Amino acid sequence: QSVLTQPPSVSGAPGQRVTISCTGSSSNIGAGYDVHWYQQLPGTAPKLLIYGNTNRPSGVPNRFSGSKSDTSASLAITGLQAEDEADYYCQSYDSRLSGSWVFGGGTKLTVL
Amino acid sequence: QVQLQESGPGLVKPSETLSLTCNVSGGSVSSYSWSWIRQPPGKGLECIGYIYYSGSTNYNPSLKSRVTISVDTSKNQFFLKLSSVTAADTAIYYCARYEGRAYGVDVWGQGTTVTVSS
């Protein structure tokens, strides 16, 4: 059972918009800790996709965006492409775990 | 740019100590913080812990009694030791650069598979 809750799967057709939610609590996201998002393509290491709730590292397309509100965060992907099919993880920190990292359980994105 | 490469035994016997090395190239190990993250087969990511450039460490509370992360600045490497392993420790182990709470983990190694079995 992950501290951060993500839907196990989402899907969308090419060109569509999808969102992935990450729900936490008052000891993690709700405490003001930053949320980061990672993309893991099949058989590869994760890659930083969004940092500090809303920021994209250099090279990440602006089709990817992040937001945060209260005790949850969301990753939005617009103009869905086949290459976006991957697992997506949110990550934050939790004061009840001495500030340790916590990950969401991951969401499998399928491009139909 | 910074590149990371994990190395170590792919097979460890139950009750023994898992030892991994992460070689850092293209940057100095003394300039950032460094982490170990693992992923059991077919499952999600789990932070094992990280070490700040100052040398202080932060470990996952569920693993804290068994984990040691250290750095060797002369070799530009950092290390993971996980003692008393069981089959539940079978996973892909990633080393990664940790930029801090506001920036996340921005550089990852390719990962190394460790199986715990007799």
Side-chain angles (χ1 to χ4, degrees):
Chain A
Q1 192 81 357
S2 302
V3 174
L4 304 179
T5 301
Q6 298 180 234
S9 63
V10 297
S11 63
Q16 285 190 332
R17 179 181 187 270
V18 297
T19 62
I20 298 172
S21 60
C22 175
T23 303
S25 67
S26 59
S27 65
N28 41 69
I29 298 175
Y33 290 116
D34 284 314
V35 177
H36 316 298
W37 290 90
Y38 302 89
Q39 176 193 58
Q40 186 175 32
L41 297 170
T44 69
K47 165 192 166 184
L48 182 64
L49 197 64
I50 297 288
Y51 68 92
N53 307 313
T54 61
N55 304 290
R56 285 186 308 276
S58 173
V60 173
N62 59 11
R63 302 185 296 105
F64 296 89
S65 63
S67 63
K68 175 187 164 184
S69 179
D70 296 327
T71 58
S72 66
S74 290
L75 172 71
I77 310 172
T78 59
L80 206 56
Q81 299 180 3
E83 66 204 48
D84 298 332
E85 188 159 293
D87 293 323
Y88 292 84
Y89 295 90
C90 61
Q91 181 246 313
S92 187
Y93 308 87
D94 198 295
S95 60
R96 284 188 278 193
L97 299 174
S98 304
S100 293
W101 301 358
V102 287
F103 281 101
T107 298
K108 170 67 177 177
L109 168 63
T110 299
V111 180
L112 302 170
Chain B
Q1 74 271 18
V2 172
Q3 292 185 310
L4 307 178
Q5 178 66 58
E6 305 90 349
S7 62
L11 180 64
V12 181
K13 290 182 169 54
S15 80
E16 294 189 344
T17 296
L18 179 161
S19 296
L20 295 176
T21 297
C22 184
N23 190 66
V24 179
S25 59
S28 172
V29 74
S30 59
S31 299
Y32 292 92
S33 300
W34 308 94
S35 62
W36 288 96
I37 297 156
R38 70 181 183 179
Q39 185 171 34
K43 296 188 178 181
L45 303 170
E46 179 183 37
C47 176
I48 299 170
Y50 51 92
I51 184 165
Y52 291 100
Y53 58 86
S54 63
S56 63
T57 54
N58 184 301
Y59 299 139
N60 184 325
S62 69
L63 299 170
K64 188 173 184 176
S65 63
R66 300 194 290 131
V67 174
T68 303
I69 296 176
S70 60
V71 168
D72 185 334
T73 55
S74 66
K75 295 183 178 179
N76 221 35
Q77 296 173 327
F78 63 103
F79 311 97
L80 169 69
K81 289 191 184 299
L82 181 65
S83 64
S84 304
V85 298
T86 69
D89 295 309
T90 293
I92 298 172
Y93 286 74
Y94 297 100
C95 64
R97 187 175 76 175
Y98 174 46
E99 280 269 52
R101 285 186 176 178
Y103 301 98
V105 178
D106 67 333
V107 181
W108 296 69
Q110 66 183 29
T112 188
T113 298
V114 178
T115 301
V116 178
S117 174
S118 54

